[in-house]
Amino acid sequence: MPGVQSRRMPPFSHCAEVILMASPYRALLGTAIPLFLTSITGTIGSIVGLYVLSHHSTATLAAFAVAMAVLTPVSSTVTGAVRGLVPFVAPYRSHPADAAPILRDARWLTLCIGTAGAVAVAAIPWITRLTGVSDDVINQLGTLPWLLALYVLVFAANSGTRAMLISLGRSRQVLWSGLVATGADIVLTVMLVPVMGVEGAGVALVAASASSAVVTHLALRSVPGLGVRSLWPGHPRPAEVLRLARVSIPMAGTVLMKFGVLAVVTYAAASGGTTAAAAHALLNSMVGFLFLIAFSLAQASVPEIARAASTTEVRSINRAALNLGLAGGACGAIVLLGFGDPLFRLFSPDDGVRALALSLVPLLIAAVLADSGGAVMGFSLTGLKRSGWNVTSFALSYGLLAAAAYPATYLCGLPGLWGMIVLSNTLLAVLQGAGFWLFSRRISVETEPERARTKS
């Protein structure tokens, strides 16, 4: 109309750009994307390693698989434990030099955790013998358990340094260390496995982890204020190390519980027959990829929540991580719904297995979305230094899943089992969400000055 100025609505792309670039979305994406890419590169290295081992000999692959059955939960537990260091270091992002004493305390904790893990891995021959593995496979291990024990020690130290870099907003350096590790692992595996067998894979893992540790250490020393400070453990401060452990050890406990219960779920699926077991394996392989985006965002939320100065800010960060995580999971779900059959065909030529897996894709998507929400809430609790609530939540939800896995499979087959997985993941997300809502209402008075300082 004449004399009336029309108001033009901004294009959708502009609105999306404004939302994504606004805090806390930008901060979360800036940390999560390098972590996501680091995980992808690690997966590629693992696939190449398995390919080389499988083409060496069946006995070599069997020995490596037996060792990985122990190493994987141990290394995952170590990783879970060191994530508990992040909320203690993150408040000093603006003043890294002041974090030096905490970094030294963290070194002591990672040394203790790594030593415990190394002892467990060194005992692989005895553990496998107790579980009924044949002597032929055990004899193929050679010095691999000792190499993997050394790997765990280096891995623990490196994981602690990575956690410190993430805390201080240096996740891109973590990506570089991951690329170096993957490159070294692939090159050395291809070179050494044909000559040394499974022990060559162990040497490759140790060398790759050591090269990554050098990169992360140099990156940490390059942080302003830390280059002139000693970061060696020095004289231990038991009270301070214990303060870190109160957050870190519960994180390790949740990882152990999850591995244990998921093993029960796998055995329950196998009790339904070969087709059900294979379909369950296919669905699990998809879960890992769909969950990775939310998991990266959940990790990225920890330092941001630890630095937040108010309940409103803490909840805003949590909401942004939840929105981005669920959006990433939804995008993956759309791809799976549209291209599920071609994707499953890559993993199994069996029509019956693929048909069963495809029929359960809706339950898989529901399980992943619930798990994504639970991961964001769980890591948010870690950012508030309340990871003890995670242990209780995991015990209740995964305890239910462990108790109901076999009855559900017996009564309703694989659909019943995956229905229980959805229920368990949903219960976990609700419990952790309730804990986050409760604890975010009363951010510790003692930490408020420290949080406020990081904003100056």
Side-chain angles (χ1 to χ4, degrees):
M1 293 179 60
V4 178
Q5 185 176 4
S6 62
R7 301 176 63 183
R8 297 178 59 190
M9 294 295 292
F12 174 78
S13 59
H14 175 73
C15 295
E17 182 180 359
V18 170
I19 292 173
L20 289 177
M21 290 301 103
S23 181
Y25 287 88
R26 183 175 184 176
L28 289 171
L29 289 172
T31 301
I33 290 174
L35 296 180
F36 175 76
L37 295 176
T38 302
S39 299
I40 292 295
T41 58
T43 301
I44 292 172
S46 298
I47 292 172
V48 173
L50 288 174
Y51 176 83
V52 174
L53 286 163
S54 66
H55 282 71
H56 181 264
S57 73
T58 302
T60 299
L61 182 61
F64 189 76
V66 165
M68 288 301 105
V70 178
L71 178 64
T72 300
V74 167
S75 58
S76 297
T77 301
V78 170
T79 303
V82 299
R83 289 192 192 110
L85 305 176
V86 174
F88 293 94
V89 180
Y92 296 95
R93 184 179 294 181
S94 301
H95 308 274
D98 295 343
I102 298 177
L103 298 181
R104 289 193 288 269
D105 296 331
R107 297 280 195 193
W108 276 108
L109 183 60
T110 55
L111 178 63
C112 295
I113 294 170
T115 301
V119 170
V121 171
I124 284 176
W126 293 275
I127 294 172
T128 52
R129 191 167 280 112
L130 288 174
T131 56
V133 177
S134 68
D135 288 338
D136 291 339
V137 174
I138 295 174
N139 292 335
Q140 287 288 328
L141 291 171
T143 61
L144 181 63
W146 297 105
L147 289 169
L148 295 183
L150 177 59
Y151 164 78
V152 170
L153 286 172
V154 178
F155 176 80
N158 190 33
S159 297
T161 308
R162 285 186 173 196
M164 298 169 198
L165 288 171
I166 294 170
S167 307
L168 298 173
R170 300 293 201 279
S171 60
R172 289 185 182 180
Q173 281 83 353
V174 173
L175 173 58
W176 283 115
S177 73
L179 291 172
V180 169
T182 300
D185 187 28
I186 290 175
V187 171
L188 291 174
T189 297
V190 172
M191 290 175 57
L192 297 179
V193 168
V195 179
M196 300 175 62
V198 72
E199 293 172 325
V203 173
L205 282 173
V206 173
S209 186
S211 62
S212 176
V214 170
V215 174
T216 54
H217 178 73
L218 292 175
L220 188 63
R221 299 296 295 178
S222 69
V223 175
L226 293 181
V228 297
R229 296 291 190 99
S230 173
L231 299 180
W232 290 103
H235 185 72
R237 302 189 300 172
E240 296 302 318
V241 174
L242 184 60
R243 187 169 71 97
L244 300 178
R246 289 195 185 102
V247 176
S248 296
I249 300 305
M251 293 289 289
T254 60
V255 174
L256 281 176
M257 275 192 281
K258 189 167 187 175
F259 265 98
V261 174
L262 290 182
V264 172
V265 169
T266 299
Y267 294 142
S271 71
T274 304
T275 299
H280 181 74
L282 279 182
L283 294 170
N284 268 336
S285 66
M286 294 295 108
V287 167
F289 289 108
L290 295 179
F291 180 63
L292 198 53
I293 295 175
F295 186 69
S296 300
L297 286 159
Q299 291 184 79
S301 70
V302 177
E304 302 305 322
I305 285 177
R307 299 176 67 240
S310 67
T311 296
T312 301
E313 190 174 0
V314 164
R315 290 182 175 179
S316 175
I317 295 166
N318 171 265
R319 192 181 309 115
L322 190 61
N323 289 341
L324 290 172
L326 292 178
C331 291
I334 291 172
V335 172
L336 190 58
L337 286 171
F339 303 96
D341 188 57
L343 287 173
F344 287 148
R345 197 178 293 275
L346 294 173
F347 295 93
S348 175
D350 191 305
D351 292 336
V353 170
R354 291 201 311 274
L356 179 56
L358 283 170
S359 69
L360 297 176
V361 164
L363 285 176
L364 180 150
I365 292 171
V368 168
L369 293 178
D371 204 13
S372 299
V376 171
M377 292 300 175
F379 276 92
S380 295
L381 283 167
T382 301
L384 296 174
K385 302 176 185 175
R386 302 287 186 174
S387 57
W389 185 277
N390 284 332
V391 176
T392 304
S393 301
F394 264 88
L396 291 173
S397 57
Y398 273 71
L400 171 66
L401 178 58
Y406 276 94
T409 306
Y410 177 76
L411 294 173
C412 304
L414 199 60
L417 179 61
W418 273 87
M420 284 306 306
I421 293 173
V422 173
L423 178 61
S424 173
N425 288 351
T426 302
L427 177 60
L428 178 62
V430 170
L431 290 173
Q432 291 179 318
F436 174 77
W437 180 83
L438 174 66
F439 291 118
S440 64
R441 291 180 61 191
R442 41 194 178 98
I443 293 177
S444 173
V445 175
E446 290 82 1
T447 61
E448 283 181 358
E450 185 178 67
R451 291 170 182 267
R453 180 186 175 187
T454 65
K455 295 297 176 182
S456 62

